[in-house]
């Protein structure tokens, strides 16, 4: 049995939450998060299911 990747796609929700945004909620800062985790921002889905985001990614696929 063999498999191949037929295409790839991506989708990210529009709302971005930065480390500075998180620092307003909890006691931390951008430098601390960036140094330990390596993340500057993350995307938050407010009203989309993972299946909806997957479908959007599939619609935007690139054929390999």
């Amino acid at each position: 049995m063999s498999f191949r990747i037929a295409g790839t796609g991506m989708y990210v929700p529009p709302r971005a939450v930065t480390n500075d945004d998180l620092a307003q909620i909890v006691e931390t800062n951008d430098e601390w998060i960036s140094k330990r985790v390596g993340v500057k921002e993350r995307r938050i889905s407010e009203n989309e299911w993972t299946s909806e985001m997957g479908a959007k990614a599939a619609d935007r696929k690139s054929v390999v």
Side-chain angles (χ1 to χ4, degrees), residues 32-50:
W32 190 93
I33 297 170
S34 296
K35 183 177 179 182
R36 287 162 180 80
V37 183
V39 173
K40 288 285 188 183
E41 71 175 24
R42 67 269 317 126
R43 296 297 176 134
I44 305 293
S45 174
E46 296 180 304
N47 50 7
E48 294 174 294
W49 294 92
T50 53

Side-chain angles (χ1 to χ4, degrees), residues 11-26:
Y11 169 78
V12 292
R15 181 174 174 217
V17 176
T18 66
N19 293 342
D20 290 329
D21 295 331
L22 288 179
Q24 294 177 4
I25 300 168
V26 295

Side-chain angles (χ1 to χ4, degrees), residues 4-10 57-64:
R4 71 180 184 90
I5 297 173
T8 61
M10 66 154 289
D59 284 342
R60 298 176 182 171
K61 74 176 181 189
S62 299
V63 177
V64 177

